[in-house]
Amino acid sequence: MTGSAHLRELGEFFRHRRGELTPAQVGLPEYGHTRRRVRGLRREEVAQLVTISTDYYVRIEQGRLAPSRPVLDALVRELRLGADQRTYVEGLVAQAARAGHRATPRRPVRPRLHPHLARLLGQLTGTPGIVFGPRLDILAWNPLAARLLRDFATVPEAERNYVRMVFCDPAMRDIYPEWEDVARTCVEVLRMEAGVNPADPALTALVGELSLADRQFRVWWAEHRVAHQDFGSKRIAHPVVGDLTLDWDTFRYAGAPEQQLVLWSAEPGTRDAGRLADLARGADTAPGT
C-alpha cells in the first residue's frame, strides 16, 4: 500500500489539519516569544502528542506509511477530529489496505440509472426527486424536481453535475439564498468522496475544472474539510411560488450503492407544503401570494 493515492490523501489531510491547530489548543506549551516558522503545529509536536517517532509521523504525512490502529486513534484524538473527519480518515486507511491486496476496480464515469430507481422516480408526482451518482453527478430527476430547481434536460449530460452547477450556473446561485452554505457543503461532501476513490480521474478533472473556474471552490477545497450528510433543509427562492424551505432526505439503494435518491418534502399543512403543491400542479402563482 506504500505510496497509494489513499495514503497520499491521508497525509495531505493530516498536514492541513495540524496547520489549523495551535500548541495551546492541544495542551502544548508555547516557548517564550520565539517566532514559529510553520503555521500551526510542527510535525515533531504531533509525534510527541501521539507518542511516536517524528520519522514515523513524517512517513504518514508523505503518504508512505499507513498508521496502525492505535496510532490512527491517537491522531484522531490529538488532532481533535470530528465524527465526519474520523470516518474520512478511517475510510482512507481501510481503502489503502484493500488496494494493497487487489486492484481497485475502475468505475464508469457515469453509471447507468438502475431501473428500479427509474421506476420509483417516475411514480413520484407530488415529491421532487433526483438520483445522484458518484461525484454528485445528476443521473435522473422527475418533473417536479425540474420545476423546483432547474430544467436539467437543458444542461449537457457531461456538465450535469450538482457541484459544477452550484458553482458555475447563475440560476443555482439565484435559487439558493444561502448559496455559500450550500456550496461549502458541496465541497465537503466531494472531499469526503475523495477518501473513497482519490485516484478517480473524473473526480480529479472536476476538481481541476472548478478550481480554475471559481476562487471560492479553490480555497474551500484546500481546507480539506469533509462532511457526510443524509438529510437537512434548504431555503429556495423560487421565481414562481416564492420562498419555501424544504426538508431533504437521502435514500441509498443496496442494489446500486453509488446511486442515491434525494427527495424534498414539507410538513403537511404548512405554507411550504402549500407552495410545493402549487408547484406540483404547475401553478403560475405570483411570488409571495
Side-chain angles (χ1 to χ4, degrees), residues 245 247 265-274:
T245 299
D247 298 322
S265 63
E267 186 70 27
T270 62
R271 183 202 66 174
D272 296 324

Side-chain angles (χ1 to χ4, degrees), residues 23 25 38 86 131 148 184 194 199 206 227 233 238 244 251 260:
Q25 287 176 298
V38 298
R86 180 177 191 125
V131 177
L148 178 68
R184 274 184 174 273
L206 177 63
S233 64
H238 199 276
L244 66 168
F251 300 90
Q260 50 189 314

